[in-house]
Amino acid sequence: MPSPNGLIDLRSDTVTHPTPEMREAMYRAEVGDDVYGEDPTVNRLEEIAAAKVGKEAAVYVTSGTMGNIVSLLSQTTRGQEIICEAGAHIFVNEVGNLAMFGGCQMRAIKGHYGAMDPAEVEAAIRAENVHYPRTALIAHENTNNAAGGTILPLDYLAKIKGIAENHNIKVHMDGARLFNAAAGLGVEPKDITKYADTVQCCLSKGLCAPMGGFVAGTKEFAKEARRYRKALGGGLRQSGIAAAAGIIALEKMSLRLGEDHARAKRLATGLAEIPGMDVDLDSVQTNIIRFSTKEGYLTAPELAAKCKEQGILFGPQNKRAIRMVTHYYISDADVDKTLAAVREAMAR
Ligand code: TLP
C-alpha cells in the first residue's frame, strides 16, 4: 500500500493510518453512549475480540498502555509484586504506572528472545513470609518488542501457566502484537491466549486502526477492567466511531500480517549483508528488526540522519542500536529503497 505521507516510515507500526475501508466504516458507524453500554459498534467489537482470544468478555480500551494498566490493576492490590521480563513494555515504557496507580512493584527477569527461564520464574514467586510482598501475577509480552518482535513458544507458555496455577497466581499477556504472534506461528490467537488469564491487544499497530485496543478475560475481570478504565478517564461515549475501524482491524487486517513478516525478513537479510551491520536473524520472527552498527562505522543517529534525507525514517535506540518495523504501508519497493540507502550511507 502506498505510504499515506510519501515517507518510508519504519519507526513503528503505530504510524499506520486507518485504511480507506476503515474511514468509510467510521463514517457509517452506528453509535451510542458506551459508558451506558449502549454503543452497538463497541459491543460488536467486544464480542468479536472475546471470541478471537477465546475469553468470556472483552472491553474496548483507548490504548495498549491503558489495556495493560486496567488489566494489572484489576488483578492486584497495593503492596503486591508482579513478575515480568526485563525488557517488557509494562516495566520499561509505561511510566511506572503500576507503582503510580496500583502501589505494586515489578520483579524483572532477563529473558532469552523474550522468554524467561521457567525455573527462574518459579524461584521468583514469593513464599508466604512477613517480610515479602505477595506475587500477584506473571506478565508475558507476546510478541516481545524489545527482543525484536520474537514469538513466545506455546510449550513455554504452557509451562509458565502450569507454574502459575500451582502457585495460585494469574498470568497476563501484553499482546500488543498478539496477532503477529498468531500469524507467525500459523495458529489462532486463542491457541496462544489459552495460556493467559487476561490479555491486552492493540488494534492500532500493524492492524492499522487509528486508536484503541481491547482487554479480555472472565466476565468478572471485564467488570473490574471497566471500572478501572472509567477511573482512568477511558470511559468514552460514542466510541463506536473508532471501534468500527477496530472491527476491520480484527476481521481483515489480522489476516495479512504474514506479508509484513516476509518483508521484515527480507529487509533484515539484506541489512545483514551490509558491512558494518550486526543483525541477529534468529530474532527476526515477525515485523520488528532490531540490529546495531559496529564500531568504526556510522552510529545509529548518523545513519538515521542520512536516511532521513531520502525520506526513510527509523528509530535509533541509542548510539548503536536501531529498530525498524514493517507494516501495511511498507512495500517491497520500500524495502529495496531502504536497503539501497543504508548500503550507500554505510559505504561512505
Ligand atoms: N509500543 C510502542 C512504543 O511505546 C515503544 C512501539 O512503537 O512499539 N505493549 C507493547 C509490547 C508495545 O510495544 C506498546 C507500544 C504498548 C504495549 C503500548 O501501546 P500504546 O502505545 O497503544 O499505549
Side-chain angles (χ1 to χ4, degrees), residues 12 14 63-65 68 89 94 141 145 174 176-177 205 323:
S12 183
T14 59
S63 66
T65 302
N68 281 326
H89 200 275
E94 298 188 5
E141 184 175 306
N145 184 346
D174 175 354
R177 296 181 181 83
K205 299 198 162 57
R323 181 179 78 153

